[in-house]
């Protein structure tokens, strides 16, 4: 299995990404081969500094980098030799089994949709994240930023994608899927949630348990929480702040420690024809390592094939 890593993506690249690749290699088996995509001479220099053999990796040298603030579509088309563009070309051509980057999120979304493309039947791919639960374990929240505006049938599909992801990657059997709303009652919410509720209630595609409110996100009432990308991103950024607040206040708490993004590595783009993971822009080596491991798990789980079957 070949796992592609963009070593130029992220605020602390390429040092953090190469160090993360080293950390990932130490826990991967001989059946997994990491392909480092980006500035090869720099990568070799960093490996030498850390006394780690370059023979442990494959390299694909690229000459361009898509910056964090660049326009995604323009950057992908105008920088064909960027690490992100090359990574997606390799993924599309079957030269990689998975691809991950902590670089420009928009470029990763554009690359995924226009290169490996959406699974037939999927209206819009979604980005997912994990949320810790008070009583242990975790849940899945989607969408968290790919689609700021959604329609009811799109949210219904997010329920399918999130349920399969929770089951195959986190071994949650018959995941409980809930719709994010401002009240538990069926008639509550805006036009979007009011129209989505009956679709989810009638579906046999997943285990729908009704509406969920913001105060219950970290409870045990749901394993998968479905919402539009605007709301999901607000929840995600708020949740990420909890960990930083505890650090600044000098508080030590096991539950809030689980909000540390480093543990989860990145957000998968669900609904495309290959495993793609987007890491946090401020990813350190630990986060890069876990991003790589998540992309490996997605490739090994048969998740993409199961999603294809679900949307036939």
């Amino acid at each position: 299995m070949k796992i592609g890593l963009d070593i130029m993506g992220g605020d602390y690249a390429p040092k953090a990404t190469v160090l993360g690749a080293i950390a990932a290699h130490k826990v991967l088996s001989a059946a997994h081969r990491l392909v480092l995509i980006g500035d090869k001479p720099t990568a070799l220099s960093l490996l030498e500094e850390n006394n780690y053999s370059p023979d442990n990796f494959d390299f694909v040298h690229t000459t361009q980098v898509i910056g964090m603030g660049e326009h995604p579509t323009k950057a992908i088309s105008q920088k064909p030799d960027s690490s992100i563009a090359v990574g997606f070309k390799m993924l599309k051509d079957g030269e990689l089994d998975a691809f991950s980057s902590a670089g420009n999120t928009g470029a990763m979304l554009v690359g995924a949709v226009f290169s490996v493309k959406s699974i037939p039947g999927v209206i819009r791919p979604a980005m997912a994240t994990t949320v810790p639960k008070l009583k242990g374990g975790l849940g899945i929240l989607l969408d968290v930023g790919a689609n700021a505006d959604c329609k009811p049938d799109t949210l219904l599909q997010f329920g399918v994608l999130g349920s399969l992801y929770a089951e195959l990657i986190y071994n949650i059997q018959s995941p409980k899927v809930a719709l994010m709303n401002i009240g538990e009652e069926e008639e509550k919410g805006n036009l979007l949630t009011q129209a989505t509720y009956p679709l989810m209630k009638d579906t046999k595609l997943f285990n729908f348990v009704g509406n969920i409110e913001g105060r219950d996100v970290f409870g045990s009432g749901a394993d998968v929480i479905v919402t539009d990308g605007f709301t999901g991103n607000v929840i995600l950024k708020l949740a990420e702040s909890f960990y930083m607040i505890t650090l600044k206040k000098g508080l030590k708490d096991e539950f809030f420690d689980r909000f540390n993004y480093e543990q989860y590595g990145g957000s998968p783009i669900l609904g495309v024809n290959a495993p793609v993971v987007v890491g946090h822009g401020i990813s350190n080596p630990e986060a890069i390592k876990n991003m790589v491991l998540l992309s490996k798990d997605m490739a090994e789980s048969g998740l993409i094939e199961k999603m294809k079957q679900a949307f036939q």
Side-chain angles (χ1 to χ4, degrees):
M1 173 181 291
K2 290 200 170 186
I3 305 167
L5 172 63
D6 167 22
I7 60 170
M8 310 308 291
D11 294 345
Y12 306 119
K15 184 175 182 178
T17 47
V18 172
L19 292 178
I22 292 172
H25 177 264
K26 290 179 178 178
V27 297
L28 289 170
S29 74
H32 305 109
R33 189 72 176 174
L34 260 178
V35 182
L36 307 187
I37 305 166
D39 189 323
K40 182 178 178 180
T42 300
L44 292 174
S45 176
L46 287 165
L47 290 170
E48 184 179 359
E49 286 177 18
N50 289 275
N51 299 312
Y52 212 74
S53 173
D55 294 338
N56 293 316
F57 307 97
D58 290 343
F59 299 88
V60 176
H61 180 65
T62 61
T63 59
Q64 297 174 308
V65 178
I66 294 177
M68 300 297 273
E70 291 191 60
H71 187 281
T73 307
K74 289 181 180 178
I76 286 285
S77 61
Q78 294 174 1
K79 292 186 173 181
D81 199 44
S82 64
S83 48
I84 288 179
V86 170
F88 275 116
K89 185 180 185 303
M90 294 179 68
L91 190 64
K92 177 185 177 182
D93 293 343
E95 298 173 34
L96 296 175
D97 297 292
F99 178 55
S100 59
S101 171
N104 186 306
T105 299
M108 288 294 289
L109 286 165
V110 170
V113 171
F114 289 100
S115 181
V116 295
K117 301 188 184 303
S118 299
I119 290 171
V122 172
I123 302 168
R124 291 186 179 184
M127 290 181 66
T129 192
T130 54
V131 291
K133 298 296 185 180
L134 276 166
K135 294 183 179 180
L138 51 80
I140 308 300
L141 173 69
L142 76 167
D143 180 31
V144 292
N147 307 281
D149 297 299
C150 295
K151 293 183 178 180
D153 53 352
T154 310
L155 292 188
L156 178 69
Q157 290 194 350
F158 290 172
V160 178
L161 296 171
S163 182
L164 288 170
Y165 181 66
E167 182 177 347
L168 293 171
I169 302 299
Y170 294 103
N171 300 312
I172 302 173
Q173 298 304 309
S174 188
K176 296 174 288 186
V177 180
L179 178 64
M180 175 55 62
N181 211 327
I182 59 171
E184 295 181 358
E185 298 84 357
E186 183 172 345
E187 68 278 2
K188 281 291 184 72
N190 54 17
L191 294 175
L192 174 60
T193 55
Q194 288 175 7
T196 301
Y197 191 100
L199 295 180
M200 290 188 166
K201 183 179 179 181
D202 294 340
T203 191
K204 291 181 172 56
L205 296 171
F206 51 79
N207 177 22
F208 181 56
V209 295
N211 287 326
I212 191 171
E213 296 182 78
R215 63 185 175 187
D216 301 315
V217 168
F218 309 111
S220 56
D223 301 305
V224 177
I225 301 171
V226 174
T227 187
D228 61 90
F230 183 93
T231 305
N233 192 264
V234 171
I235 295 172
L236 171 63
K237 298 294 172 60
L238 178 63
E240 287 180 346
S241 74
F242 294 163
Y243 177 68
M244 299 307 299
I245 290 171
T246 60
L247 291 181
K248 290 178 180 178
K249 292 290 186 180
L251 303 174
K252 188 66 177 176
D253 182 271
E254 182 274 335
F255 173 66
F256 287 110
D257 285 346
R258 289 193 284 130
F259 282 88
N260 184 356
Y261 75 94
E262 297 170 13
Q263 298 182 29
Y264 308 111
S267 297
I269 301 177
L270 303 179
V272 294
N273 283 297
V276 177
V277 181
V278 184
H280 204 298
I282 59 172
S283 289
N284 60 14
E286 178 69 12
I288 296 295
K289 179 194 79 172
N290 288 323
M291 178 177 70
V292 169
L293 296 181
L294 175 57
S295 68
K296 183 267 296 183
D297 289 344
M298 290 177 66
E300 288 184 333
S301 67
L303 175 65
I304 306 302
E305 201 55 43
K306 287 285 188 180
M307 288 181 175
K308 290 179 180 178
Q309 293 173 11
F311 287 93
Q312 281 181 348

